[in-house]
Amino acid sequence: RHSAQKSSTSRMSDNPARNNECRPLEMDENLKKKQSIMEGKEEADEKRMGVVLSSNNNKRAKIQDDDSQPQTNNVVSLRNKHSEVGERIAETGFYQSMELTTDTPICTKTSKYQTIEVHQAKHYGKVLMLDGVIQLAERDANAYNEMITHCAMMAHDNPQNVLVIGGGDGYVLSEVLKHSSVKHVDHVDLDGDVVEICRTHFPWRDAWEDPRVKLHIADGAAFVANSKHDFYDVVIQDSSDPYTCCEDGSLVELPSCVLFTQDHFRNVHKTLREKGVFIFQSECFQIPSDLDCIVKWRKQVLDLGFHHARYGSITISSYPTGQVGFLLCEKDRDAGDHTTNNKHTNHPGDLQQQSSSRIDQRFQEIVKKGCSTTYYHPRLQKSCFDLPLWVEKKIYGDETRTTQTETQNN
């Protein structure tokens, strides 16, 4: 994910230009610092680090401090003298940064696959970074992780066997375990060092100790390809970005791209039981290349036989543009389901005939156990699928739409 899956400048309300009185803007030191960071960012970083801020390769490539030829990418990790970490999306020119308390990480380790760091941010708490790119920040990690978990779990009437692909930080796993119906969880992540570091530094560290959990340090795509057919009720794919987009519009595949192929989606479909639910991180609709891929992925899963594939949106400030989303896919309809047969409904949160009252009941059971969420709540089960009109038109095209009232009446 863009993390998931990025600003430490003064508040806009501090800007005298917002006052009713018309007068020249007299910048204070904070505003001057903001202008220096936001307007002169590329030139300053090029001189300091010898880095060309353009787009061509791995979105997760770390900015190098040596004289070697730098890798260039769509989301470029930046660090500067103000103890910030930032990301620039070359495709749109968007830049976002987060202020750290110090340049020195709480911990750092180079694994077989990537450089893993945990930093302390001024506002966002502990921050997990892989190859210099923010994966998770304590303050708003609840948004993405709770939504991608509970929207899938609540879409199934009785999730017992669950597969979590990726999510080495363990947050999604900890949310899955809040559901009392769960009997077994396979958690598959490629990098065991990420798991071990997160066990030490984040509060949901005990998730792997639950006897219902079996951790597999393995390739997620290969694990799914070799899994039993008709076994899982819910598959949650919490993966990193599958590609990066160059400024010329071409896409460069990243290691996670194997989790976004039609072959992988086909294997997920096979491993799901009847009425199974598949949810996967599906990028940001504010980035043009991401939106194109959302459309492509949705078509692929529908072509493979998933009955529904709906894009849900999440607000999360530590990710680029403050938004990320997921595709929620339903394998089959209940034989007794008499609601609309359209693959596009305005409110697909009632997948598997899960009524609002039943979802409320299940949510209250979680609350009573002392495991309440802090972002997800039952109304989001439907409302997260309400998108801006231009996004709906792009994703769903001319598909027949049904109103909430029509769906309920059916």
Side-chain angles (χ1 to χ4, degrees), residues 138 198 201-206:
E138 275 185 313
C198 292
H201 293 283
F202 292 99
W204 47 86
R205 62 178 64 91
D206 294 334

Side-chain angles (χ1 to χ4, degrees), residues 262 266 296-306 343:
Q262 193 153 16
R266 182 181 293 108
K296 180 183 74 172
W297 298 330
R298 180 174 182 270
K299 183 180 185 303
Q300 286 178 332
V301 295
L302 290 175
D303 288 347
L304 288 169
F306 283 97
K343 293 181 179 180

Side-chain angles (χ1 to χ4, degrees), residues 321-340:
T321 80
Q323 186 272 332
V324 73
F326 55 80
L327 278 166
L328 177 61
C329 314
E330 180 188 14
K331 182 175 181 178
D332 300 295
R333 279 251 172 185
D334 191 301
D337 184 4
H338 301 295
T339 60
T340 177

